Amino acid sequence: MKLVTFTRGQTAEIGVVINDTTIAPLGHLAPDMIALIANWDIARPKVEALAAAPEETVDIASARLLAPVPRPGKIFAIGLNYADHVAETGMQTPSNQIWFTKAGTSVNGPYDSVQIPRGSMMTDYEVELVAVIGKGGRHISKDDATAHVFGYCIGNDVTERAWQMRTPQFSLGKSFDTHAPFGPWITTSDTAGNIHNLGIRCFVNGEERQSSNTRHLIFNLWEQIAELSQAMTLEPGDVIFTGTPGGVGMAMKPMTMLKAGDVVRCEVDGLGHIESSFVAE
Ligand code: ZN
């Protein structure tokens, strides 16, 4: 199933996507996506029934899609998690998982424009597989982790490289407003296939910049969930950016940063695509 948060005007609504073209609204089942996820065991048969026989439909082309979880409780992202990306940065393969946060206010819709911040010369892209937590928990084992994932999205871990690199801590450079676009919908984990064997690509103005496969993750998603949940309780709707492959703009020769007018498209096999126009703040 594919679940969206969308708006027809001012208010955000949730819905299930039918045939990639139509949304059946689910507002009577839960007030927002996090509540729907938290109540999924009870809501799921009702959502399935509505997807098969919708009472009301909205043409997806007439709606604006928001990030499926517009304000996650937590957004964590892992650094240096594909070998070719480690190599292009000149860093060592990490022996421990390198985690940073992205601010809740950095969340952006899958087709909304992304800001090149005032004064920035170093805005960069990072296509990533994004996981959305379903059942929460603490001390989740690698073997149990799959049962705690609600579904998957495509994300762009947009990065201010100068801010990222000038201190040991990445989070400020990863947290500018609009710099966490993800979506376009949550593909529920039962229909996403083997998420450790998905093609992942990023295009800038139609030119392929990143192309890899999630099988090349250094720490896979189950290891990531086990690590994070040793430290903290994971909750429904928490979001994990699982790392980016090689091909980022900072590593190009010459280094090629994003500029106003650029269009960045991110794809993961089976999950759709997101696309952002970059604009000056
Ligand atoms: Zn990243």
Side-chain angles (χ1 to χ4, degrees), residues 9 16 35 68 89 110 116 125 129 154 159 180 202 208 229 233 256 259-260 270:
V16 58
T89 61
I116 306 270
Y125 53 83
L129 172 70
I154 303 154
T159 303
C202 177
E208 186 179 272
S229 71
T233 302
T256 307
K259 57 188 187 307

Side-chain angles (χ1 to χ4, degrees), residues 77-78 100 126 128 157 174 243-244:
I78 190 168
F100 55 88
E126 296 189 351
E128 309 203 6
D157 176 18
K174 296 286 193 172
T244 200

Side-chain angles (χ1 to χ4, degrees), residues 224-236:
Q224 295 180 28
I225 288 171
E227 177 88 351
L228 285 171
S229 71
Q230 281 188 60
M232 69 195 80
T233 302
L234 296 179
E235 298 176 309

